CSV table of all heavy atoms in Angstrom, one decimal:
chain,number,residue,atom,x,y,z
A,458,ASP,N,2.9,17.8,5.8
A,458,ASP,CA,2.1,18.9,6.2
A,458,ASP,C,2.7,20.2,5.7
A,458,ASP,O,3.6,20.7,6.3
A,458,ASP,CB,2.0,18.9,7.7
A,458,ASP,CG,0.9,19.9,8.2
A,458,ASP,OD1,0.4,20.7,7.4
A,458,ASP,OD2,0.7,19.9,9.4
A,460,ALA,N,1.7,23.1,6.1
A,460,ALA,CA,1.5,24.2,7.0
A,460,ALA,C,2.7,24.4,7.9
A,460,ALA,O,2.8,25.4,8.6
A,460,ALA,CB,0.3,23.9,7.9
A,470,ARG,N,3.4,27.6,12.2
A,470,ARG,CA,2.5,27.0,11.2
A,470,ARG,C,1.9,28.1,10.3
A,470,ARG,O,1.8,29.3,10.7
A,470,ARG,CB,1.4,26.2,11.8
A,470,ARG,CG,1.9,25.0,12.6
A,470,ARG,CD,0.8,24.2,13.2
A,470,ARG,NE,-0.2,23.7,12.3
A,470,ARG,CZ,0.0,22.6,11.5
A,470,ARG,NH1,1.2,22.0,11.5
A,470,ARG,NH2,-0.9,22.2,10.7
A,474,LEU,N,-2.9,27.1,5.5
A,474,LEU,CA,-2.7,25.7,5.1
A,474,LEU,C,-3.0,24.7,6.2
A,474,LEU,O,-2.7,23.5,6.1
A,474,LEU,CB,-1.3,25.5,4.5
A,474,LEU,CG,-1.0,26.3,3.3
A,474,LEU,CD1,0.5,26.1,2.9
A,474,LEU,CD2,-1.8,25.8,2.1
A,475,ASP,N,-3.5,25.2,7.3
A,475,ASP,CA,-3.7,24.4,8.5
A,475,ASP,C,-5.0,23.6,8.5
A,475,ASP,O,-6.1,24.2,8.4
A,475,ASP,CB,-3.7,25.3,9.7
A,475,ASP,CG,-3.5,24.5,11.0
A,475,ASP,OD1,-3.8,23.3,11.1
A,475,ASP,OD2,-3.1,25.2,12.0
A,476,VAL,N,-4.9,22.2,8.6
A,476,VAL,CA,-6.1,21.4,8.5
A,476,VAL,C,-7.0,21.6,9.8
A,476,VAL,O,-8.1,21.2,9.8
A,476,VAL,CB,-5.8,19.9,8.3
A,476,VAL,CG1,-5.1,19.7,7.0
A,476,VAL,CG2,-4.9,19.4,9.5
A,477,THR,N,-6.5,22.2,10.8
A,477,THR,CA,-7.2,22.4,12.0
A,477,THR,C,-7.8,23.8,12.2
A,477,THR,O,-8.3,24.2,13.2
A,477,THR,CB,-6.4,22.0,13.3
A,477,THR,OG1,-5.3,23.0,13.4
A,477,THR,CG2,-5.9,20.6,13.2
A,478,ASN,N,-7.7,24.6,11.1
A,478,ASN,CA,-8.2,25.9,11.1
A,478,ASN,C,-9.7,25.9,10.7
A,478,ASN,O,-10.0,25.5,9.5
A,478,ASN,CB,-7.4,26.8,10.1
A,478,ASN,CG,-7.8,28.3,10.2
A,478,ASN,OD1,-8.8,28.6,10.7
A,478,ASN,ND2,-7.0,29.1,9.6
A,481,ASN,N,-10.8,27.0,7.3
A,481,ASN,CA,-10.5,26.1,6.1
A,481,ASN,C,-11.5,25.0,6.0
A,481,ASN,O,-11.4,24.2,5.1
A,481,ASN,CB,-9.1,25.5,6.2
A,481,ASN,CG,-8.1,26.6,6.1
A,481,ASN,OD1,-8.2,27.6,5.4
A,481,ASN,ND2,-6.9,26.4,6.8
A,482,GLY,N,-12.5,24.9,7.0
A,482,GLY,CA,-13.5,23.8,6.9
A,482,GLY,C,-13.3,22.8,8.0
A,482,GLY,O,-14.0,21.8,8.0
A,483,TYR,N,-12.4,23.1,8.9
A,483,TYR,CA,-12.2,22.1,10.0
A,483,TYR,C,-13.4,22.0,10.9
A,483,TYR,O,-14.0,23.1,11.3
A,483,TYR,CB,-11.0,22.5,10.9
A,483,TYR,CG,-10.9,21.7,12.1
A,483,TYR,CD1,-10.5,20.3,12.1
A,483,TYR,CD2,-11.2,22.3,13.4
A,483,TYR,CE1,-10.5,19.6,13.3
A,483,TYR,CE2,-11.1,21.6,14.5
A,483,TYR,CZ,-10.7,20.2,14.5
A,483,TYR,OH,-10.7,19.5,15.7
A,484,ASP,N,-13.8,20.8,11.3
A,484,ASP,CA,-14.9,20.6,12.3
A,484,ASP,C,-14.5,19.3,13.1
A,484,ASP,O,-14.2,18.3,12.5
A,484,ASP,CB,-16.2,20.3,11.5
A,484,ASP,CG,-17.4,20.2,12.5
A,484,ASP,OD1,-17.2,19.7,13.6
A,484,ASP,OD2,-18.5,20.5,12.1
A,488,CYS,N,-14.6,16.9,9.2
A,488,CYS,CA,-14.3,18.1,8.4
A,488,CYS,C,-15.0,18.1,7.0
A,488,CYS,O,-15.2,17.1,6.4
A,488,CYS,CB,-12.7,18.1,8.1
A,488,CYS,SG,-11.8,18.2,9.7
A,490,PHE,N,-13.8,20.4,4.2
A,490,PHE,CA,-12.9,21.4,3.7
A,490,PHE,C,-13.4,22.2,2.5
A,490,PHE,O,-14.1,21.5,1.7
A,490,PHE,CB,-11.5,20.8,3.4
A,490,PHE,CG,-10.8,20.2,4.6
A,490,PHE,CD1,-10.4,18.9,4.6
A,490,PHE,CD2,-10.5,21.0,5.7
A,490,PHE,CE1,-9.7,18.3,5.6
A,490,PHE,CE2,-9.9,20.4,6.8
A,490,PHE,CZ,-9.5,19.1,6.8
A,494,PHE,N,-9.6,25.6,-0.3
A,494,PHE,CA,-8.6,25.1,0.6
A,494,PHE,C,-8.0,23.7,0.1
A,494,PHE,O,-6.8,23.5,0.2
A,494,PHE,CB,-9.1,24.9,2.0
A,494,PHE,CG,-8.2,24.2,3.0
A,494,PHE,CD1,-7.0,24.9,3.4
A,494,PHE,CD2,-8.4,22.9,3.4
A,494,PHE,CE1,-6.1,24.3,4.3
A,494,PHE,CE2,-7.5,22.3,4.3
A,494,PHE,CZ,-6.3,23.0,4.7
A,498,PHE,N,-4.2,23.4,-0.6
A,498,PHE,CA,-3.4,22.5,0.2
A,498,PHE,C,-2.7,21.4,-0.7
A,498,PHE,O,-1.5,21.1,-0.5
A,498,PHE,CB,-4.3,21.7,1.2
A,498,PHE,CG,-3.6,20.8,2.2
A,498,PHE,CD1,-3.3,21.3,3.4
A,498,PHE,CD2,-3.3,19.5,1.8
A,498,PHE,CE1,-2.6,20.5,4.3
A,498,PHE,CE2,-2.6,18.7,2.7
A,498,PHE,CZ,-2.3,19.2,4.0
A,546,LYS,N,-3.1,13.5,5.2
A,546,LYS,CA,-3.8,14.8,5.3
A,546,LYS,C,-5.0,14.9,4.4
A,546,LYS,O,-4.9,14.3,3.3
A,546,LYS,CB,-2.8,16.0,5.1
A,546,LYS,CG,-1.6,15.9,5.9
A,546,LYS,CD,-1.9,15.9,7.4
A,546,LYS,CE,-0.6,16.1,8.2
A,546,LYS,NZ,0.3,14.9,8.1
A,547,LEU,N,-6.0,15.5,4.8
A,547,LEU,CA,-7.3,15.8,4.0
A,547,LEU,C,-8.2,14.6,3.9
A,547,LEU,O,-9.3,14.7,4.5
A,547,LEU,CB,-7.0,16.4,2.6
A,547,LEU,CG,-6.3,17.7,2.5
A,547,LEU,CD1,-6.3,18.3,1.1
A,547,LEU,CD2,-6.9,18.8,3.5
A,550,GLN,N,-9.5,13.2,7.2
A,550,GLN,CA,-10.3,14.0,8.0
A,550,GLN,C,-11.6,14.4,7.3
A,550,GLN,O,-12.7,14.6,7.9
A,550,GLN,CB,-9.6,15.3,8.3
A,550,GLN,CG,-8.3,15.1,9.2
A,550,GLN,CD,-7.1,14.7,8.4
A,550,GLN,OE1,-6.9,15.1,7.3
A,550,GLN,NE2,-6.3,13.8,9.0
A,585,PRO,N,-7.7,15.2,13.0
A,585,PRO,CA,-6.3,15.5,12.6
A,585,PRO,C,-5.3,15.4,13.7
A,585,PRO,O,-5.6,15.8,14.8
A,585,PRO,CB,-6.3,17.0,12.1
A,585,PRO,CG,-7.8,17.2,11.8
A,585,PRO,CD,-8.5,16.4,12.8
A,589,TRP,N,2.2,17.7,15.6
A,589,TRP,CA,3.3,18.2,14.7
A,589,TRP,C,4.4,18.8,15.4
A,589,TRP,O,5.5,18.9,14.9
A,589,TRP,CB,2.7,19.1,13.7
A,589,TRP,CG,1.8,20.2,14.3
A,589,TRP,CD1,2.2,21.3,15.0
A,589,TRP,CD2,0.4,20.2,14.2
A,589,TRP,NE1,1.1,22.0,15.4
A,589,TRP,CE2,0.0,21.4,14.9
A,589,TRP,CE3,-0.6,19.5,13.6
A,589,TRP,CZ2,-1.4,21.8,15.1
A,589,TRP,CZ3,-1.9,19.8,13.7
A,589,TRP,CH2,-2.3,21.0,14.5
Side-chain angles (χ1 to χ4, degrees):
D458 189 352
R470 298 179 61 74
L474 296 172
D475 194 337
V476 294
T477 63
N478 185 348
N481 296 327
Y483 168 73
D484 184 333
C488 299
F490 297 122
F494 174 68
F498 185 96
K546 309 303 187 294
L547 295 191
Q550 296 82 37
W589 47 73

